């Protein structure tokens, strides 16, 4: 199975900062079928990005995904207080589907 | 907007069967994949498996011998059964829906603890 490794584990940033989250796969993700999710306490996880770079419905354009093969990135161009959450990457190109360990983003 | 709600016992005894239901509101169960995912405390999210509304299933090999996922289109529900549970099956369990294998809409999750 494909192992996804996310880094860093935790980030503490200020509103307005630019943040880059990394997701590295142990082998190439078929067709770049890589998604990013946001999870806040007590809420359902929300899909942000699919296909490595396509934004899901209703996701603001200050969030963007990039990458291919084994290296993927989620970028938030201008951090807002509402972005405080844990972010997960997931590959859905190969069975079993697998997830990264998550990056926690804290707002100062 | 579709909403998914997981329900079931929050406490299950070791060696027994864990049974959860995902009820869908604001949308149909038809023409979608229904996925179950779990996250044990302090561990990664784990894909359990999925089912197409027509009944075709796919399971994680690590759980395949113990898991059954089903759908009931008349009740707009998906169900998860996990046999012979141990403490290692303690986790928050999520159901999710997607047009394909990608889980797009998720429920809030429900905590299931395995303990005597």
């Amino acid at each position: 199975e494909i192992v996804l490794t996310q880094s860093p584990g935790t980030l503490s940033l200020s509103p307005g900062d630019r943040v880059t989250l990394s997701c590295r796969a142990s082998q190439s993700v078929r067709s770049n079928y890589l998604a990013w999710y946001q999870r806040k306490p007590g809420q359902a996880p929300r899909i942000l990005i699919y296909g490595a770079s396509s934004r899901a419905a209703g996701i603001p354009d200050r969030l963007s995904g990039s990458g291919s093969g084994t290296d993927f990135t989620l970028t938030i161009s201008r951090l807002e207080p509402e972005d405080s959450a844990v972010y997960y990457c997931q590959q859905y190109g190969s069975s079993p589907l697998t997830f990264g360990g998550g990056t926690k983003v804290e707002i100062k | 907007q579709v909403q998914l709600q997981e329900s079931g016992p929050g406490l299950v005894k070791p060696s027994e069967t864990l049974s959860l239901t995902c009820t869908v509101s604001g949308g149909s169960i038809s023409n979608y994949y229904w996925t179950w995912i779990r996250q044990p405390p302090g561990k990664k999210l784990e894909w359990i498996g999925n089912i197409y509304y027509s009944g075709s299933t796919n399971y994680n090999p690590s759980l395949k011998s113990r898991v059954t996922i089903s759908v009931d289109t008349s009740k707009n529900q998906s169900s998860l059964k996990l046999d012979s549970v141990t403490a290692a099956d303690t986790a928050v369990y999520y159901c999710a829906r997607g047009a394909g294998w990608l889980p797009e809409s998720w429920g809030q999750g429900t905590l299931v603890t395995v303990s005597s």
Side-chain angles (χ1 to χ4, degrees), chain A residues 4 37 39 42 44-45 47 88 97, chain B residues 39 44 94 101-103 106-107:
Chain A
L4 298 179
Y37 297 89
R39 189 177 71 183
I47 188 167
Y88 296 94
L97 279 62
Chain B
Q39 187 170 34
K44 286 185 173 182
Y94 297 93
W101 278 51
L102 172 67
W106 295 51

Side-chain angles (χ1 to χ4, degrees), chain A residues 12-96:
Chain A
S12 184
L13 298 163
S14 300
D17 283 350
R18 178 185 179 91
V19 58
T20 300
L21 311 182
S22 172
C23 177
R24 179 161 292 176
S26 60
Q27 54 188 280
S28 186
V29 176
R30 182 177 70 89
S31 302
N32 293 328
Y33 283 162
L34 192 286
W36 291 92
Y37 297 89
Q38 177 193 67
R39 189 177 71 183
K40 298 181 180 181
Q43 296 186 18
R46 179 172 71 149
I47 188 167
L48 304 174
I49 301 289
Y50 62 93
S53 60
S54 297
R55 270 185 294 273
I59 302 304
D61 60 7
R62 59 189 182 81
L63 275 73
S64 62
S66 62
S68 64
T70 61
D71 288 299
F72 300 89
T73 298
L74 175 69
T75 300
I76 306 175
S77 60
R78 298 175 306 280
L79 207 58
E80 296 188 2
E82 67 199 41
D83 298 326
S84 178
V86 181
Y87 294 81
Y88 296 94
C89 59
Q90 181 214 19
Q91 67 82 21
Y92 55 103
S94 304
S95 184

Side-chain angles (χ1 to χ4, degrees), chain B residues 28-89:
Chain B
S28 173
I29 203 164
S30 297
N31 301 308
Y32 288 98
Y33 283 88
W34 299 90
T35 299
W36 287 88
I37 294 156
R38 70 179 184 178
Q39 187 170 34
K43 296 191 175 183
K44 286 185 173 182
L45 289 157
E46 179 180 31
W47 179 77
I48 299 171
N50 65 21
I51 185 168
Y52 193 50
Y53 80 102
S54 60
S56 173
T57 55
N58 302 278
Y59 297 130
N60 192 321
S62 67
L63 296 167
K64 188 174 183 177
S65 63
R66 298 194 291 132
V67 67
T68 303
I69 297 175
S70 60
V71 292
D72 186 333
T73 54
S74 66
K75 295 182 179 179
N76 243 25
Q77 291 179 337
S78 175
S79 295
L80 169 72
K81 292 189 185 300
L82 184 63
D83 298 327
S84 305
V85 298
T86 69
D89 295 309

